[in-house]
């Protein structure tokens, strides 16, 4: 953009401020905590997917030397965890899945704790389990929660807009299919770890990787039945989150109760196997989707029904329809929508939040169906999308007020970079066993915060010292996405210094102002606006002093590159530190600091799921060129193209890294990743058996950043953290279909899935 | 005070917030720091009090396994430390005292470091030393610093007011004496310890017990020739300071340079012996003082000359005349003053700041002379003081504008509690070897900050969370005086919550706003006003929201005991957290935080030492009843009385603890404590040989807090942290004189000193 050149920090690829500490192993993660007298905690997991607990005998375990605390449900407050309040941190009456917590131990070392677990005797009375949500819905299926009749979670998401039945009748073409999407994991490189420490005054300090320090503080207080103000949350370096730390889970409560009972700090760290088995996964779905269109390609209706395997308890997984819905109602223009869900308890493990929330699932089914619909219409898949493309200033059926929208540019850019015209639909004509194809898919996602809580705000405190060095105390959290660096750039830009001059403080609930948490791609936008606002207040003070010193009105002054100067006389510079010292070290001296709280001008959705929850929306398109081996079923991605409406690239390098990182998750979702679960048991709980993409699996990627300069964003930026993951599987799925001339309806598209489909097609041909 | 009852926190003896952590050994001091890869540093001290350094050979030491860095002057920047910039952190050309730093080592453990020190070969060429400042002043004395002719420090303090010579001529009575006061130590329970850590980006983090984090940051940056903004100062729990950490000393610079060279963090902790020998002491003085008066007791003039043994280098000790002067010019009304000094380099160790700065020395000589003058006048010593007593709204010769002044009340209270009328001048008449006497002494000291730097300010940031829990981020430092607790009380009072609801953050230069440092009894007053101002801003926001909710104008609302309510309808309460949540969780929600910077309306003294450096002044009187054994020379203090003008007692318990703590230092100064120094060597560097008062040496103490409700102070408070120490030695000295009917002119009044005087008197009698 032309006005880019006037920025010193914005648009600059500043290396992550924490990069060296992390790369050199100096970063301190929760598992590195070492407090005086610290003990090690371990959890005893259920032996049955569904059973009554008749007796838990811990007497032997308690006698083991080195054991400082053994707890069971009896040691727990009666409160329960989770959005549906259905999850006791330790299970007393019955277990409902193999990852149920039955007891826990704190001991002087991990081996002793392990040994003690083996010495706890639990007597179960097994109950018939149910693992398939459609089975669980049936009359007479085993009841998992007494209060949940038919195993239906009381959560229910339904949306209606326009007249779907009339639109169906008026459609020239209608398509209908069922899709099945699997459990996948966040694969955080640091297994979940937390530390609890109580002081003599009954205050609890938690060292936690939580993404939501202030909601966490409130929730933990509620479940421990103590005042929130007595809980301090320290967030050490977080080794990956991706949504997996967006809820308060039993392990943190167990850690706190162990520490209380032992009277010593307790560190509770998951093994990699526990990380796979016991942390929440991405929510699996079964989707029945029907879509229609006019001959000319105008979309007429979408009618979808999602069945969610809730697992045994309710974390955020069950709530993904809230976002899933967005892609169904708002990706491409469609005026008649029906959306419904069945959220069913089973004896499987439960799911949680994961990058994109429900959007990757929703986008996959919608974008796969767009291709199928185009095929049926005899239209080009790109043309169909362009015809129904979202536009600036559009209002979607859910009431999302689109401001800037670069989707058309994204679609065209990707098509051009993919050589769409020449490569689309050429795959089948090739000879030999290798088939090539191209496909693309787009997304819409919140890009300016997401008002899912009553407050979507974030606070910031900025102080500038006598030497022009800046501290930003932000409510937001760094989970590896580089927000620290981006916020430093925004603050520095506003103050006319360099990002390197900014120290970001963001790890202590006692010090930092409130923030709702790091989720929904909101931090650059929300925390960025807060930081900018606080910095602007300080800047005004600096200019006021400078105008006295330079004898120029404030509005005639420029502040840049650590200096203040008259716009029309840039040689007459004053170093910022000097200006500050001047005002600081005089009679009635002042200090240069200010605070701000930014809560975006958005609204919560009403009970009908209508409301403009975000200041702006992000759009993007991904394109894939693939080569499928029809003999092995192997899919090779030859090339990916990403064109993303980012509003404004604050830090192009970090932005591209975010998109690439997201893409790698999308590639895994499309082709490799799947938690193999049988009878509620995870059969591949390791990086050997669970295939996340490595560098060798990553295709070459072209990234094009489309800058639409959003008026609401800090320096025009939109949030994009999740977006890299959202359309990837759909784009690859469409490319595979284009290569093979057949459609797959499940993920991941592992060789056996592809082969089965190819064989079936050949069989049909004979 | 009548309005006391309206306070919830002010006037309440809240236990120190950090008491339990300290009492249970959980507090983390610098020496408890344990960073990955941390090394241990040791300093090689000079073997001669005065010598040229011909050669320093470290080759053997460097070869010793486990040694990671050995440094000499060559590794140091050319910059020098101290107020007179005369102290190189490591000495290259010559040594000037036995505590001179010649080299330093960092190794994997302390033993290895010690061993390495022994392997450093230093070749000296001894030079003639001089240890007596009066010798050092003489023609032909050894020159310690080439640039300091006649060993005179370029620092020179002289003050003149009125016409001393005319006043002397007009006096009815004139007295003149010489006093000698010794070196004494702070006796911090935690020996000096600091840790230096450099990160990959060239940023330095110091874990330091400094009392002046921001000046320290600036000074350390200057000497290391790097930007201040690259230095972060963390202040772990500080195990005693009393002024001893008010300057930047070589050990901290050496620690930083060792860490840089080793590429690993370094911990440098003094042994108790080093603590005694190598940290600065209270400044010793020789005082020649002449005072006159009219028959009626009206003081006519004071003419004083102080000789200061500067030691080999210049730290704050040499600057104590700046405060010493105050007692000479301003304690009791006297209109003709001459004050002069000679600050002389010797080959002794140098002195620094210590509780009261020069005031204990100045008050001792002035108050002892008041008694001698009264004797000569045939007036009662109390009457003489009352006649010349300081008063409210008086302006002293130095231009100190006294606002509130409770001195008269203090004098009368002490006299009454001592039973002055009956006990004064009765000692000599007793039979046997035991003589009893009473004496008293007063002080004047800054009580509302002290503008000794261009800024005397302190910043504060206050935030209140959704549950009414408060965080105060203050620039000030906690050195054990309880400021944390007092600031919590002030903040809580302003916000209408309880002190227990306040978390005080004060240990990180990157987080806390600027403060000049903890010295001059300024923290309760200055940091208190800053905290109160920030809290008041937040309170206004809370009331604004509450007035909407309660439908009452803000000025009709009261906020107290965690609730807001209409003044005329106190039952209609709203819990503060609820008010905050209401405003936080609504459209355009807000957060409740604010900052303030308080810089008092005072002026720096001009070059003639005139100026009102403090908003208000503290006054107090101490009385002593003693029993002297004329056979053993043993002085027993039977009782002490303290009456102190404290403005307002924020926390009576902590206030009394401060006064008692100060008193114990005064008792040591009067009777027990003395660093025995011969030929520049400290001969009693241990708690066995250096006698600080133990609980058995402490007399019973009666404390009376006089509340004058100072208009400038937070809730009327004045600073008093140093005052307990200031008049003690003078009061005891006057009581001993009263008991024996003879005068002692040196401290401490150890048995041999008393006996010598008694024998001399008896000899005279024969």
């Amino acid at each position: 953009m032309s006005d880019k050149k006037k920025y010193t920090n914005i648009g600059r690829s500043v290396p992550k401020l924490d990069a060296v500490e992390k790369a050199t192993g100096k970063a301190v993660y929760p598992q590195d905590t070492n407090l005086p007298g610290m003990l090690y905690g371990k959890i005893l997991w259920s032996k049955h997917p569904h059973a009554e607990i008749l007796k838990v005998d811990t007497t032997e375990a308690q006698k083991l030397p080195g054991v400082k605390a053994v707890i069971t449900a009896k040691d727990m407050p009666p409160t329960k965890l989770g959005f549906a309040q259905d999850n006791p941190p330790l299970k007393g009456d019955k277990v409902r899945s193999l990852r149920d917590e039955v007891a826990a131990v704190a001991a002087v070392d991990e081996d002793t704790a392990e040994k003690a677990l083996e010495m706890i005797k639990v007597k179960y009375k097994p109950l018939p389990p149910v693992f398939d949500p459609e089975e669980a819905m049936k009359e007479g299926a085993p009841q998992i929660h007494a209060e949940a009749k038919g195993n239906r979670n009381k959560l229910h998401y339904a949306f209606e807009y326009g007249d779907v039945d009339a639109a169906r009748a008026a459609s020239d073409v209608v398509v209908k299919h069922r899709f099945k999407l699997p459990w996948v994991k966040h694969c955080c490189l640091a297994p979940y770890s937390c530390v609890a420490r109580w002081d003599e005054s009954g205050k609890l300090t938690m060292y936690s990787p939580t993404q939501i320090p202030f909601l966490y503080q409130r929730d933990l207080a509620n479940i421990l039945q103590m005042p929130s103000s007595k809980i301090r949350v320290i967030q050490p370096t977080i080794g990956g989150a991706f949504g997996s730390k967006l809820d308060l889970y039993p392990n943190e409560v167990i850690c706190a109760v162990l520490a209380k009972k032992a009277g010593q700090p307790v560190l509770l760290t998951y093994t990699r196997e526990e990380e796979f088995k016991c942390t929440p996964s991405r929510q699996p779905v079964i989707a029945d989707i029907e879509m229609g269109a006019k001959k000319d390609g105008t979309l007429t209706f979408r009618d979808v029904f999602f069945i969610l395997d809730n697992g045994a308890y309710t974390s955020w997984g069950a709530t993904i329809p809230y976002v899933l819905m967005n892609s169904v109602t708002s990706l491409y223009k469609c005026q008649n929508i029906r959306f419904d869900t069945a959220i069913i308890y089973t004896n499987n493990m439960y799911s949680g939040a994961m990058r994109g929330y429900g959007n990757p699932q929703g986008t996959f089914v919608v974008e796969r169906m767009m291709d199928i619909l185009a095929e049926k219409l005899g239209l080009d898949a790109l043309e169909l999308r362009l015809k129904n493309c979202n536009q600036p200033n559009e209002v979607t059926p859910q009431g999302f007020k689109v401001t800037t929208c670069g989707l058309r540019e994204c679609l065209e850019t990707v098509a051009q970079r993919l050589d769409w015209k020449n490569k689309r639909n050429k795959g089948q004509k090739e000879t030999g066993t290798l088939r090539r194809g191209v496909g693309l898919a787009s997304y819409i996602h919140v890009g300016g915060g997401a008002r899912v809580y009553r407050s979507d705000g974030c606070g910031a405190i900025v102080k500038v010292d006598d030497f022009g060095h800046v501290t930003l105390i932000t409510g937001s959290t760094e989970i590896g996405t580089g927000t620290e660096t981006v916020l430093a750039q925004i603050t520095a830009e506003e103050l006319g210094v360099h990002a390197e001059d900014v120290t970001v403080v963001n790890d202590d609930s006692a010090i930092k102002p409130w923030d709702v948490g790091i989720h929904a791609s909101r931090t650059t936008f929300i925390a960025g606006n807060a930081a900018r606002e606080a910095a602007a207040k300080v800047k005004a003070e600096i200019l006021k002093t400078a105008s006295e010193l330079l004898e120029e009105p404030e509005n005639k002054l420029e502040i840049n590159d650590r200096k203040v100067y008259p716009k029309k006389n840039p040689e007459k510079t004053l170093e910022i530190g000097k200006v500050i010292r001047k005002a600081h070290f005089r009679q009635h001296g002042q200090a240069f600091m200010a605070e701000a709280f930014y809560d975006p001008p958005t609204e919560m959705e009403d009970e009908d799921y209508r409301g403009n929850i975000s200041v702006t929306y992000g759009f993007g398109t991904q394109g894939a060129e693939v080569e499928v081996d029809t003999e092995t079923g192997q899919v090779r991605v030859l090339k990916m193209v990403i064109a993303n409406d980012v509003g404004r690239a604050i830090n192009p390098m970090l932005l591209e890294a975010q998109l690439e990182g997201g893409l790698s998750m999308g590639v895994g979702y499309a082709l490799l990743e799947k938690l193999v679960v049988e009878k509620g048991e995870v059969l591949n709980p390791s990086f050997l058996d669970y295939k996340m993409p490595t560098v060798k699996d990553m295709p070459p990627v072209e990234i094009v950043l489309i800058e639409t300069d959003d008026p609401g964003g800090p320096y025009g930026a939109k949030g994009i953290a999740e977006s890299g993951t959202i359309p990837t599987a759909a784009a690859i799925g469409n490319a595979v279909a284009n290569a093979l001339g057949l459609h797959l309806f499940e993920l991941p598209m592992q060789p056996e899935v592809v082969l089965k489909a190819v064989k079936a097609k050949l069989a049909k041909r004979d």
Side-chain angles (χ1 to χ4, degrees), chain A residues 363-499:
Chain A
T363 299
F364 182 76
V365 299
V366 168
E367 280 288 34
R368 287 285 297 113
M369 288 295 279
M370 287 294 283
D371 264 33
I372 292 168
L373 193 60
E375 201 176 297
K376 196 102 181 263
L377 285 162
L379 292 174
D380 174 71
L382 171 64
E383 288 315 315
L384 179 65
R385 289 177 170 88
L386 288 171
K387 176 161 189 66
N388 299 281
C389 190
N390 299 94
Q391 295 169 335
N393 309 318
E394 164 193 354
V395 178
T396 78
Q398 275 192 272
F400 296 173
K401 296 187 180 120
V402 176
T403 54
T404 53
C405 173
L407 182 54
R408 179 170 296 276
E409 195 177 346
C410 292
L411 280 163
E412 285 164 348
T413 306
V414 167
Q416 179 261 322
R417 296 274 186 130
L418 268 187
D419 190 13
W420 180 267
K421 278 199 180 45
N422 301 319
K423 289 188 169 170
R424 179 70 172 177
N425 303 327
K426 302 295 186 294
Q428 298 94 312
K429 296 183 191 59
E430 280 171 31
T431 59
T433 65
L434 299 179
R435 296 276 184 274
R436 290 191 172 190
V438 296
L440 52 73
S442 303
Y443 81 91
I444 178 175
H445 199 64
V446 288
R451 187 170 295 274
V452 290
Y453 297 92
R454 281 171 303 156
S455 173
D456 191 22
C458 178
I461 298 167
V462 167
K463 75 163 178 138
V464 185
D465 75 12
D466 290 336
F467 316 99
H469 187 76
V470 181
T471 294
L472 167 68
I473 305 176
T474 173
S476 68
T477 295
E478 172 63 70
I479 54 172
T481 57
T483 56
E484 226 169 58
T485 310
V486 167
L487 294 176
Q489 287 178 264
I490 290 169
T491 307
E493 189 63 44
E494 194 63 29
L495 283 166
V497 299
H498 297 183

Side-chain angles (χ1 to χ4, degrees), chain A residues 182-188 272-273 275-277 279-282 349 354 664-677 682-694 697 748 750:
Chain A
W183 283 285
V184 293
K185 301 296 290 187
H186 308 78
C187 298
C188 300
R272 178 59 60 187
E273 183 175 345
E275 178 76 12
F276 266 101
K277 289 181 164 180
T279 64
S281 318
R282 185 182 289 288
M349 67 278 176
M354 185 169 167
S664 74
M665 283 189 156
V667 168
Y669 198 41
L671 301 174
L672 303 170
E673 296 186 48
K674 179 185 188 174
L675 217 49
V676 181
V677 183
V682 177
L683 300 180
N684 57 341
S686 80
F687 282 132
L688 270 178
D689 302 316
Y690 178 96
K691 299 284 181 209
M692 72 183 288
T694 65
D697 303 300
Q750 288 171 338

Side-chain angles (χ1 to χ4, degrees), chain A residues 144 178 204 248 300 366 419 451 494 549 591 599 697 705 733:
Chain A
I144 295 164
R178 162 169 283 208
L204 169 63
L248 173 65
T300 49
V366 168
D419 190 13
R451 187 170 295 274
E494 194 63 29
L549 300 174
D599 191 21
D697 303 300
L705 304 179

Side-chain angles (χ1 to χ4, degrees), chain A residues 159-167 300 334-338 397 610:
Chain A
F159 176 84
E160 206 138 4
Y161 186 85
D163 183 338
V164 168
D165 299 327
T300 49
C334 181
Q335 294 307 305
N336 303 286
I337 309 279
R338 185 182 291 132
R610 284 159 174 81

Side-chain angles (χ1 to χ4, degrees), chain A residues 513-525:
Chain A
W514 194 88
D515 175 61
V516 73
I518 182 157
H519 67 94
S521 305
R522 65 184 283 280
T523 301
T524 293
F525 190 96

Side-chain angles (χ1 to χ4, degrees), chain A residues 630-645:
Chain A
T630 52
E631 258 180 6
T632 64
Q634 195 74 45
V635 176
R636 241 179 84 225
V637 181
L638 303 174
K639 172 184 177 178
M640 293 291 305
V641 181
I642 302 177
N644 226 94
D645 170 3

Side-chain angles (χ1 to χ4, degrees), chain A residues 132 134 178-182 284-287 364-365 669 745-748:
Chain A
D132 177 336
E134 290 182 293
R178 162 169 283 208
F179 293 84
K180 284 192 174 179
L181 304 181
V285 298
I286 299 168
F364 182 76
V365 299
Y669 198 41
F745 299 98
E746 65 181 291
L747 291 178

